[in-house]
């Protein structure tokens, strides 16, 4: 009586088969017909497909994933290049300002046109403005105790911060710009250069424009440039 051949799935350990094939990658050389007979689960539908079709599907998926990653890298590179160009134009415009009022105007114009920041305020202490021939022009403001206390409270002990800005705070800290009906957002930076020089406020009626989770690297950088230019252009006191 002929004995039935044992079921390979019951006599062979799948892990040992996989290990053996990994040690013998040339097993299918000369056995290409066997590759066409192998069936594996289809990745998208029920049923099975040939091993070769599955390999083609996997390779296509990997190619699409690699293409998506490349596009993400290119998009990031394009954004960084645009950010660099906008920042460069901003700094050049600030350097070309002839006085502190022109500095404030250049700051507001560049941030509005290139960084979608509709409102800017530059709060400076009277010691930086009292020797000027005329009062500061918006967006420059003379820092008083009330504004200083509110700005310090918004910073909450930090050198710079992104946070919400209520309509009341908007009216007090950006008096030259009409306040929105609802809360917006702002980025606040303390200006220092060996001594306190005031505050820089960037504001938007969009509550999500300056989110608390955002870093303040750009605001810090602009503040450092502005602080140095304020000191350089401050008129000598008599």
């Amino acid at each position: 009586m002929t004995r039935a051949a044992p079921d390979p799935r019951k006599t062979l350990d799948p892990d040992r088969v996989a290990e053996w094939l990994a040690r013998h990658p040339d097993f299918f050389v000369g056995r290409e017909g066997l590759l066409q007979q192998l069936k594996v689960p289809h990745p998208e539908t029920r049923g099975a497909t040939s091993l070769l079709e599955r390999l083609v599907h996997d390779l296509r998926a990997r190619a699409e994933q690699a293409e998506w990653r490349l596009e993400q890298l290119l998009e990031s590179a394009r954004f960084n290049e645009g950010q660099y160009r906008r920042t460069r134009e901003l700094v050049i415009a600030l350097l070309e300002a002839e006085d502190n009022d022109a500095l404030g105007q250049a700051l507001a114009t560049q941030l509005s046109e290139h960084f979608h920041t509709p409102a800017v305020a530059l709060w400076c202490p009277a010691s930086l403005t009292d020797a000027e021939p005329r009062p500061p022009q918006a967006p420059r403001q003379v820092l008083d105790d009330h504004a200083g206390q509110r700005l310090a409270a918004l910073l909450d002990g930090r050198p710079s911060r992104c946070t919400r800005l209520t309509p009341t705070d908007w009216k007090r800290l950006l008096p030259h710009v009409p306040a929105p009906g609802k809360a917006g957002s702002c980025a606040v930076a303390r200006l220092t250069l060996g001594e306190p020089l005031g505050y820089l406020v960037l504001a938007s009626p969009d509550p999500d424009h300056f989110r608390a989770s955002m870093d303040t690297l750009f605001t810090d950088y602009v503040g450092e440039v502005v602080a140095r230019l304020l000191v350089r252009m401050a008129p000598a006191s008599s």
Side-chain angles (χ1 to χ4, degrees), residues 8 12 14 40 43 54 64 75 78 97 103 126 129 139 171 203 214 225 234:
L12 296 177
V40 294
R54 175 60 184 268
E64 292 175 353
E75 183 64 26
R78 287 190 289 265
L103 174 68
T129 62
K171 293 176 182 178
M214 295 174 60
V225 174

Side-chain angles (χ1 to χ4, degrees), residues 7-159:
D7 187 346
R9 292 174 294 181
K10 297 180 180 180
T11 59
L12 296 177
D13 183 351
D15 292 335
R16 294 186 64 183
V17 173
E19 180 182 351
W20 188 90
L21 288 174
R23 294 199 309 267
H24 300 81
D26 58 346
F27 172 75
F28 290 101
V29 175
R31 300 182 177 90
E32 287 76 10
L34 181 58
L35 286 174
Q36 299 178 7
Q37 299 177 34
L38 295 177
K39 299 293 182 180
V40 294
H42 195 282
E44 297 178 353
T45 62
R46 293 184 178 181
T49 184
S50 71
L51 178 61
L52 292 179
E53 290 178 353
R54 175 60 184 268
L55 289 175
V56 170
H57 178 276
D58 290 348
L59 288 174
R60 185 182 295 112
R62 291 182 184 181
E64 292 175 353
Q65 182 71 8
E67 183 178 357
W68 178 83
R69 290 179 179 177
L70 177 59
E71 182 58 32
Q72 292 295 108
L73 290 174
L74 292 175
E75 183 64 26
S76 178
R78 287 190 289 265
F79 173 80
N80 290 335
E81 181 181 4
Q83 193 78 346
Y84 162 75
R85 292 183 182 276
R86 291 188 293 270
T87 304
R88 178 177 177 271
E89 292 178 8
L90 166 64
V91 173
I92 290 176
L94 297 179
L95 292 174
E96 291 177 344
E98 297 181 354
D99 55 37
N100 282 336
D101 279 342
L103 174 68
Q105 290 292 335
L107 183 64
T109 299
Q110 290 290 321
L111 288 174
S112 175
E113 292 181 356
H114 300 300
F115 295 94
H116 309 292
T117 303
V120 176
L122 188 56
W123 287 90
C124 301
S127 58
L128 278 182
T129 62
D130 54 11
E132 296 181 355
R134 59 180 183 177
Q137 302 298 304
R140 286 203 302 151
Q141 304 288 340
V142 180
L143 186 65
D144 54 27
D145 290 340
H146 183 69
Q149 292 173 3
R150 188 61 197 137
L151 287 164
L154 287 176
L155 283 174
D156 193 26
R158 284 167 274 191

Side-chain angles (χ1 to χ4, degrees), residues 168-192:
T168 300
D169 280 336
W170 186 299
K171 293 176 182 178
R172 182 64 188 88
L173 301 178
L174 298 109
H176 54 287
V177 181
K182 298 181 180 180
S185 58
C186 68
V188 183
R190 181 181 287 108
L191 304 179
T192 57

Side-chain angles (χ1 to χ4, degrees), residues 161-164 185-187 206-216:
R161 183 190 181 196
C162 293
T163 186
R164 299 292 293 272
S185 58
C186 68
D206 181 357
D208 295 322
H209 189 82
F210 296 104
R211 299 183 302 275
S213 59
M214 295 174 60
D215 66 62
T216 57

